[in-house]
Amino acid sequence: MSVKNQLLELMTRYGGNPRCLASVVGESSKIIAREILEMQREHQLALFPAVFSEGLGLGKYLIVVRNCPIKYETASRLFHPIMNLFRGDMEENLFSITLFADGGIVEDIIKALNALSCSLVIATRIKQTRKFVRDPTCYDFESHRWICVDKLEIRQGEFLRNPHEQDIKGVVSLQVNPFADIRIINHRNHVFKIVTGFMYVLGKSDFVVQVISKEELTEYIPDVVWTAEGEDIFISEMHVNKQGLEAAMKKVRDRASEIIISPKSPLYALGYSLPYEIFRNGKWVYPKIEINKTRAT
């Protein structure tokens, strides 16, 4: 196993900070920083924390909408700050939004989408999420390709009985910068009950693909990043290049009820941090949902 493979394995536990990683392996932080920079430049390394948001008392919902007469750019900002993910299909007028919400807020959101003449396809509470990384030993840095399809599941987090504002800020700081030094995170004992590891994507990936199905598809998709269980459905997401997209579609097309293929572009695929703006006095205070049709179009 090469130095880069070893570092990749450590990054799934400690994040991407060179000084922190150097303290673990007993190597110069300059050497570690150089290796990480090479992975970013030559192998398109992307790193992000695995966040168990349920442990902070946040509910999560998926809504899928078709034929909505608004631009993706507008749709992706429509329900800020409670948006978690936005995925827009590159061919059909079809998009999904993953929201931090409760049942009452979701009802208001559905009413707002109906008022905009959007066709609701799916609205479901997400009951559980699972997060994965490709086995770090499976990537050959010499040939720039994966040589095996094994993947590892990141452990589930814990529930914090009384989340503190500093807990939220600590998680958000790692979402904003996964290369931060985890040793200096405030409330880190609490934060790392919520951030249970770090996920990564290696190699060129042109598309983010979200697959909605009646069955769990994890075993069919080596590139799966996360899956979620809804009410009678499963959601799976992968980051792939063109060849990977073609291979994945052969495996999941007949098993999927909906597939959203998004180019890796802010116009089609966006992710957001925890909605720290609505955490007040130890509680999540969800905003009132109102739609101004003139401003929304």
Side-chain angles (χ1 to χ4, degrees), residues 51-54 57-63 82 84-85 97-103 106 124-129 131 226 228-230 274 286:
V51 178
F52 182 67
S53 56
E54 298 94 321
L58 278 168
K60 194 178 284 187
Y61 286 76
L62 175 82
I63 296 176
I82 61 173
N84 175 216
L85 297 172
I97 50 178
T98 308
L99 300 152
F100 297 113
D102 59 21
V106 170
T124 183
R125 180 176 69 87
I126 292 176
K127 297 189 289 186
Q128 182 184 21
T129 58
K131 299 178 175 68
W226 60 264
E229 181 181 357
L274 292 178
Y286 294 106

Side-chain angles (χ1 to χ4, degrees), residues 2-5 7-8 11 16 18 29-46 139-142 144 179 201-204:
S2 73
V3 172
K4 287 184 174 62
N5 292 106
L7 278 177
L8 199 57
M11 281 192 275
S29 62
K30 290 183 179 179
I31 292 175
I32 301 295
R34 186 172 64 243
E35 294 285 350
I36 292 173
L37 187 59
E38 285 182 9
M39 282 192 272
Q40 290 175 309
R41 287 179 174 174
E42 299 177 17
H43 304 275
Q44 294 79 47
L45 170 69
Y139 191 77
D140 184 345
F141 283 94
E142 293 295 324
H144 293 239
F179 295 90
V201 177
L202 261 188
K204 186 179 181 182

Side-chain angles (χ1 to χ4, degrees), residues 60-235:
K60 194 178 284 187
Y61 286 76
L62 175 82
I63 296 176
V64 180
V65 175
R66 188 185 297 278
N67 298 328
C68 199
I70 58 175
K71 298 176 181 178
Y72 283 172
E73 184 180 5
T74 301
S76 65
R77 302 194 309 262
L78 207 54
F79 301 112
H80 183 77
I82 61 173
M83 295 277 284
N84 175 216
L85 297 172
F86 174 84
R87 303 289 185 251
D89 190 81
M90 65 181 183
E91 294 184 351
E92 298 185 58
N93 184 345
L94 174 71
F95 65 81
S96 73
I97 50 178
T98 308
L99 300 152
F100 297 113
D102 59 21
I105 293 297
V106 170
E107 289 180 7
D108 291 342
I109 287 171
I110 292 172
K111 290 178 183 176
L113 291 169
N114 287 335
L116 290 170
S117 301
C118 303
S119 298
L120 184 69
V121 179
I122 295 168
T124 183
R125 180 176 69 87
I126 292 176
K127 297 189 289 186
Q128 182 184 21
T129 58
R130 299 170 65 194
K131 299 178 175 68
F132 303 88
V133 293
R134 294 285 292 264
D135 186 331
T137 65
C138 284
Y139 191 77
D140 184 345
F141 283 94
E142 293 295 324
S143 63
H144 293 239
R145 66 186 182 91
W146 295 98
I147 56 176
C148 56
V149 296
D150 298 343
K151 55 181 173 286
L152 308 174
E153 183 169 356
I154 295 178
R155 68 176 177 85
Q156 295 289 310
E158 300 178 38
F159 289 87
L160 298 186
R161 183 172 297 178
N162 295 300
H164 188 276
E165 183 179 357
Q166 292 298 321
D167 302 334
I168 314 302
K169 288 183 176 180
V171 174
V172 170
S173 69
L174 291 174
Q175 289 180 302
V176 172
N177 180 17
F179 295 90
D181 192 334
I182 63 172
R183 298 171 299 179
I184 60 173
I185 297 290
N186 288 332
H187 282 220
R188 60 182 175 272
N189 289 337
H190 282 184
V191 169
F192 290 106
K193 291 180 180 179
I194 304 300
V195 176
T196 56
F198 290 81
M199 304 154 70
Y200 69 86
V201 177
L202 261 188
K204 186 179 181 182
S205 54
D206 306 298
F207 303 99
V208 178
V209 182
Q210 199 171 85
V211 180
I212 298 165
S213 60
K214 291 292 185 181
E215 60 178 312
E216 170 70 80
L217 299 179
T218 305
E219 63 181 286
Y220 302 106
I221 312 173
D223 295 291
V224 67
V225 176
W226 60 264
T227 64
E229 181 181 357
E231 296 159 325
D232 301 322
I233 65 167
F234 291 89
I235 307 102

